[in-house]
Amino acid sequence: MDRQIKLYTKCQEAVKLCRKPIINAGDGVGEHPTQALLDVFTIREEIGTVNGLTITMVGDLKNGRTVHSLARLLTQYRVNIRYVSPDSLKMPDDVKQDVAARGISQEESTALEDFLSDTDVLYMTRIQKERFSSEEEYKKNRKRG
């Protein structure tokens, strides 16, 4: 079994067995909540608030743990979230559904130019080469992202 899968499985087991709160600092394949907390802290330090902002996330939104966690954490604020990625690397439906259930406005595009002019926070993630089965597939997606 892959090391990251083992970490994820152990975290899930701990949640079931422990009566105390578990803080998931990042399990390798699921979420990265501590990074999301740091990102929100940075936004507040730099801008003064999170409420009322338009936050645009760009890159590999399908596989990026940080963007999944940040999108979910941002539901605690009054924000607009925008996603920019190649079609094959869009934000997963389960994340978008969680965000929508909290009444947060979301938009998607494959072109950053569609959203850049009124973005308050631009959150850039890399296209993750290790997620692709071939160099050609990676290069194709990297050009679009």
Side-chain angles (χ1 to χ4, degrees):
M1 185 184 287
D2 181 82
R3 182 176 173 274
Q4 290 184 335
I5 300 291
K6 285 182 184 176
L7 284 171
Y8 178 77
T9 303
K10 293 225 181 270
C11 184
Q12 296 304 316
E13 289 173 13
V15 168
K16 291 177 188 171
L17 298 173
C18 187
R19 291 184 234 191
K20 303 287 183 182
I22 301 286
I23 298 175
N24 177 354
D27 53 33
V29 295
E31 298 284 330
H32 203 324
T34 53
Q35 181 65 49
L37 290 168
L38 182 59
D39 293 335
V40 167
F41 174 79
T42 301
I43 293 167
R44 290 184 64 176
E45 286 291 304
E46 293 296 320
I47 298 176
T49 187
V50 178
N51 287 316
L53 298 179
T54 296
I55 299 165
T56 301
M57 300 179 188
V58 182
D60 184 349
L61 306 181
K62 176 182 177 183
N63 299 300
R65 296 179 303 144
T66 59
V67 291
H68 301 168
S69 293
L70 181 58
R72 288 183 167 114
L73 180 57
L74 288 172
T75 65
Q76 303 302 306
Y77 299 91
R78 293 181 314 277
V79 297
N80 300 303
I81 302 176
R82 294 174 170 171
Y83 309 117
V84 178
S85 67
D87 286 329
S88 62
L89 299 175
K90 286 185 172 187
M91 184 66 81
D93 288 340
D94 67 306
V95 176
K96 291 187 292 187
Q97 290 166 358
D98 289 349
V99 171
R102 297 296 198 101
I104 301 297
S105 167
Q106 302 172 88
E107 296 178 80
E108 288 184 281
S109 178
T110 58
L112 180 57
E113 299 80 24
D114 291 346
F115 298 145
L116 198 53
S117 65
D118 59 350
T119 289
D120 298 303
V121 174
L122 185 62
Y123 192 91
M124 301 291 294
T125 64
R126 70 181 177 90
I127 303 296
Q128 301 178 45
K129 186 175 184 177
E130 63 273 18
R131 302 288 185 176
F132 295 95
S133 58
S134 71
E135 182 80 18
E136 296 79 35
E137 186 182 357
Y138 164 70
K139 287 180 179 177
K140 179 178 71 172
N141 280 283
R142 188 182 69 191
K143 288 179 184 175
R144 291 188 209 148

